[in-house]
Amino acid sequence: MKSELNVLLRLSAPMIATQFFIMGMGFVDTAMSGQYSSLDLAGVAMGGVILWPLFMLFAGVLTALTPMVSQHVGGGRRLAVGALIQQGIWVAMIFGVILFLLVRISEPLLILFDVAPEAVSIAMAYLKAASWGCPAVMLYVTLRYACEGLGQTLLPMLIAGTTLPINAGLNYVLIYGLFGAPELGGEGCGWATAITMWFELGVMLLVIRRPWLRNTGLFERVLKPKLATIKSILQVGLPIGMTMFLEMTVFSLVSLLVGSIGIAAIGANTIGGNLNWFVFVIPMALGSAASIRVGYHVGAKDYALAAKVARLSVLISATYAFLASLVLVLGREVLPRIYTSDPAVLVLTAEVLLIVAAYQFFDCTQATIIGALRGYKDTQYPMIISIIGYWLIALPVGTILGWGLLGWNLGVLGFWIGLGCGVGFVALFAIVRLYRTSRDVDRIARFSRI
C-alpha cells in the first residue's frame, strides 16, 4: 500500500492547496470586511450563507465528472472522456444562468429570518455584485473536475493560488476605495469575487490545451447535448450536489437563526464557521483524491485495491482530525483575533471553538468517507443520511438548545452542539456504508454501469 499512499498524497496535496486557496477567498472576504466594520462583516457573512450553499449545490452536481472520468481512464476508455466533458459543459452553462438568477432574488429569505435590515442591505449588494461571476465559475469548476478526474490536480492548484492574491488586492481596492475606485465596503467583496471568477475561467481556457487533455478527444468536434450522458451526470451528481447543499444549508440556516440573537453572536458564529471550514479542507480534498483512486481501480475492476485505498484514506483523515482538534483547542483565544478585535466576539468565539474541536473526528472522517463512496458512484445513500443527520437531528437539536425552547438557552453554543450531533450520525452510518459497498461486488458493478 506504500505506492497507493504515495499516489494519494501526490493527488491530494495539490487538491488540499486548491481548497485552501478557494477557502482563502472566503477568509479574505470575511477578515477584510470585518476590519472595515462589524456591520459589513455581518452583511458579507449573511450574503455568504446564501451564495455558497447554492454554489455547492450546482458545483456538487458537476463533481460527478471526477469519478466518471477516473472510471473511464481506469477502464482504458480515454477517448470517452472528451465527450463526457463536453456534456458537462452544457450542464454548466445552464447551471450558471440559474445560479445567477437565484442569488439575485434571495432578499426575501434574509428578511424571513429576521436578519437586521442594515445587514440585509449590505448582503444583497454583495450578492448582486458576486452574481455576475456565476456563469464563469460553473464553467471553471467543470474543467477543474475533469482535470482532477484525469489525475491532473496541479493545474487547478496553480490557478487557485494565482487568484487568491488577486482577490485580496481587489478587495482592498474596492472595499476602501483606493486608486480612484469607489469605497464600496462589503459590496466591494462581491465585485472582487465576480472578477476573480472570470479570471479563473480565463486562465483555465488558456492552459487546458495540454496533451493529457487533447488526447481525450475534447477538441476534435463540438457535440450537441446528449440526453443519455447528461442523465448519467445528473444521476451521479445530483445526490452529490444535494449532499453538499444540505450540509452547507444547515450551516447557513444556523447562521440565519443566530442572526436574530445579535451582532456578537453573528460574529462568533461566522468566525467559528470559517475556521471550521478551514480545518475541513484537508479531509474534503483527501476524499476527492480517494474518489479518483477508488474510481480508477473500479474502472480497472480491481475491487480489492479500491477497498484498500478507501480504508487508507479514512485512516489518514482520522489521524488528521485528532491533530486539528488540538490546534483548535490550544488556539481558541488567538485565532479569532485574525478576524476581529471586538472583546465580546472574541470571548464567545473561544467557546464556540471548543465545540468545533470536539466533533472534528466525525466531521473530518465523514468527509473522506463520502468522497471514497463517490469513487464507487455510491452517491444516493450519503444524500439520505445527510438529510437525516443535518435536517432531522442537527437543526432541531440546535434550535432547541440555541433558542432555549425546552429551557436550555445556550445561544450560539447550542446551535453548534446540534451540528455536532448531526455530523456524528452521518459519520457513523457513512463508515458502515463504505464497509459494505467496498465488499459488495454486485453493488459496485451496478453503480459502475451508470
Side-chain angles (χ1 to χ4, degrees):
M1 288 300 292
K2 184 177 180 181
S3 61
E4 279 300 327
L5 174 62
N6 291 334
V7 174
L8 266 179
L9 295 177
R10 179 180 60 80
L11 288 173
S12 62
M15 297 175 82
I16 290 168
T18 299
Q19 291 297 337
F20 268 123
F21 290 138
I22 292 171
M23 293 302 299
M25 289 177 60
F27 166 80
V28 167
D29 284 354
T30 303
M32 295 184 74
S33 61
Q35 294 298 330
Y36 185 75
S37 78
S38 295
L39 180 59
D40 282 84
L41 169 62
V44 171
M46 291 297 100
V49 302
I50 299 293
L51 174 62
W52 298 117
L54 288 172
F55 166 78
M56 291 304 295
L57 171 62
F58 295 111
V61 176
L62 296 167
T63 307
L65 291 173
T66 299
M68 294 177 79
V69 167
S70 64
Q71 286 198 14
H72 279 317
V73 175
R77 302 182 298 273
R78 197 173 186 89
L79 288 177
V81 171
L84 175 64
I85 296 172
Q86 285 202 22
Q87 298 306 309
I89 290 173
W90 285 112
V91 176
M93 288 192 290
I94 296 171
F95 282 179
V97 174
I98 296 173
L99 180 59
F100 170 83
L101 295 173
L102 288 177
V103 165
R104 297 179 70 86
I105 60 172
S106 56
E107 184 172 359
L109 186 61
L110 294 170
I111 295 174
L112 176 66
F113 282 89
D114 198 27
V115 177
E118 57 271 26
V120 171
S121 176
I122 294 174
M124 287 310 303
Y126 165 83
L127 287 171
K128 288 181 179 179
S131 68
W132 292 103
C134 291
V137 77
M138 286 294 102
L139 291 170
Y140 166 73
V141 297
T142 300
L143 296 171
R144 173 194 157 193
Y145 294 144
C147 291
E148 291 176 348
L150 290 164
Q152 301 294 330
T153 59
L154 184 60
L155 176 60
M157 182 201 76
L158 295 174
I159 293 175
T162 303
T163 55
L164 178 58
I166 290 175
N167 180 69
L170 289 169
N171 266 340
Y172 192 59
V173 169
L174 295 174
I175 290 174
Y176 292 96
L178 303 177
F179 307 113
E183 183 177 345
L184 299 176
E187 180 184 352
C189 292
W191 286 112
T193 297
I195 295 169
T196 301
M197 288 173 174
W198 280 102
F199 176 82
E200 286 179 320
L201 176 61
V203 174
M204 178 65 83
L205 292 175
L206 288 175
V207 300
I208 59 173
R209 297 189 67 87
R210 308 294 293 274
W212 47 264
L213 196 54
R214 283 206 308 269
N215 63 22
T216 65
L218 175 61
F219 304 106
E220 289 186 2
R221 58 194 178 97
V222 177
L223 300 176
K224 295 180 180 179
K226 188 177 180 181
L227 294 182
T229 305
I230 291 175
K231 180 182 177 181
S232 294
I233 294 172
L234 296 178
Q235 190 172 350
V236 176
L238 276 174
I240 299 175
M242 285 302 299
T243 300
M244 294 180 173
F245 175 74
L246 289 169
E247 182 174 0
M248 286 204 70
T249 300
V250 165
F251 280 89
S252 295
L253 281 174
V254 166
S255 296
L256 291 169
L257 293 170
V258 169
S260 64
I261 298 176
I263 295 297
I266 292 176
N269 182 71
T270 301
I271 296 168
N274 203 267
L275 290 170
N276 181 61
W277 278 106
F278 264 98
V279 171
F280 189 71
V281 162
I282 289 179
M284 181 171 62
L286 181 60
S288 297
S291 173
I292 295 169
R293 291 306 293 168
V294 169
Y296 179 88
H297 293 307
V298 168
K301 302 190 183 303
D302 193 342
Y303 302 146
L305 189 51
K308 289 180 180 178
V309 169
R311 289 195 297 269
L312 178 62
S313 64
V314 175
L315 178 61
I316 297 171
S317 185
T319 303
Y320 164 79
F322 173 74
L323 298 174
S325 296
L326 286 178
V327 172
L328 288 172
V329 171
L330 296 176
R332 66 187 184 278
E333 295 182 357
V334 176
L335 294 172
R337 295 183 182 276
I338 300 172
Y339 299 85
T340 185
S341 57
D342 188 319
V345 175
L346 289 172
V347 171
L348 197 53
T349 304
E351 296 176 356
V352 168
L353 290 181
L354 284 176
I355 301 172
V356 173
Y359 74 68
Q360 283 310 304
F361 178 81
F362 300 109
D363 200 23
C364 293
T365 53
Q366 65 88 17
T368 303
I369 293 164
I370 290 176
L373 285 170
R374 287 178 197 147
Y376 291 105
K377 296 185 183 176
D378 188 354
T379 58
Q380 292 188 7
Y381 185 86
M383 178 185 69
I384 294 170
I385 61 174
S386 293
I387 292 173
I388 298 172
Y390 295 122
W391 288 85
L392 301 184
I393 297 177
L395 194 57
V397 171
T399 304
I400 289 170
L401 296 178
W403 279 358
L405 300 183
L406 295 180
W408 298 299
N409 190 353
L410 301 180
V412 65
L413 301 179
F415 284 103
W416 280 91
I417 291 172
L419 290 170
C421 294
V423 167
F425 173 89
V426 173
L428 175 62
F429 281 84
I431 191 63
V432 173
R433 178 67 171 190
L434 179 60
Y435 175 79
R436 292 178 175 175
T437 294
S438 65
R439 297 167 64 90
D440 190 334
V441 174
D442 291 337
R443 181 185 293 173
I444 295 171
R446 184 172 70 254
F447 286 144
S448 65
R449 289 193 291 268
I450 297 175

